[in-house]
Amino acid sequence: VWAANNRAIALIKLGRFAEALDVAQAAARRHPDLSEPHESVGLACLSLRRWEEAADAYRQALEYAPERSESHQRLGIALSQLGRWQEAGVAWERAVELDPADSTSREQLDLARSQLDRLQAALGGLPFRP
């Protein structure tokens, strides 16, 4: 599984996202209880702009490794691309809790809050705070 996962990561770095997805999915099927193959599936899906599949892959990864801030961060990215700003904000908030030095997740959390504040203002509601 580690060789397959490393191959998927290498293929992602080479820009061969569809091939990487196939390899990562096969590794995830063989070892569904490991987070790393699911993370590779998620990254390949993000690269292919397959947002829902990416979100599902990161949710699966987080079932086995809930402390991985990077998976929360990338889950937030997928959810934001789907326009699910509140859920994205929750994912980024968790990433910041796990890694307070992570400026990228903090910036993304601020983005989610501002998007939700704009939506709430347009609807006459109160600002969102996860």
Side-chain angles (χ1 to χ4, degrees):
V1 70
W2 300 116
N5 194 60
N6 289 340
R7 182 168 181 249
I9 292 168
L11 289 166
I12 290 168
K13 289 180 180 182
L14 292 170
R16 295 164 55 185
F17 307 126
E19 190 177 348
L21 179 59
D22 290 342
V23 171
Q25 285 174 327
R29 280 191 301 274
R30 281 192 299 272
H31 295 279
D33 58 334
L34 294 176
S35 65
E36 290 85 349
H38 295 292
E39 290 172 341
S40 295
V41 168
L43 187 55
C45 287
L46 283 178
S47 300
L48 291 165
R49 300 175 160 264
R50 292 165 65 169
W51 313 123
E52 192 68 52
E53 291 172 72
D56 289 343
Y58 284 112
R59 281 190 199 99
Q60 288 179 316
L62 288 165
E63 284 183 36
Y64 301 104
E67 74 290 347
R68 294 179 63 101
S69 66
E70 192 170 298
S71 289
H72 287 283
Q73 180 192 68
R74 290 179 178 167
L75 173 59
I77 291 168
L79 293 168
S80 71
Q81 292 297 319
L82 293 166
R84 291 160 51 186
W85 289 102
Q86 188 164 1
E87 291 174 76
V90 171
W92 287 322
E93 185 172 74
R94 183 66 180 134
V96 169
E97 287 172 6
L98 291 167
D99 184 3
D102 181 1
S103 61
T104 301
S105 291
R106 190 173 302 286
E107 290 169 9
Q108 296 289 41
L109 179 57
D110 290 343
L111 173 65
R113 287 177 174 161
S114 74
Q115 287 291 75
L116 286 166
D117 287 349
R118 279 191 276 260
L119 290 170
Q120 290 294 330
L123 297 172
L126 299 173
F128 164 78
R129 295 289 176 249

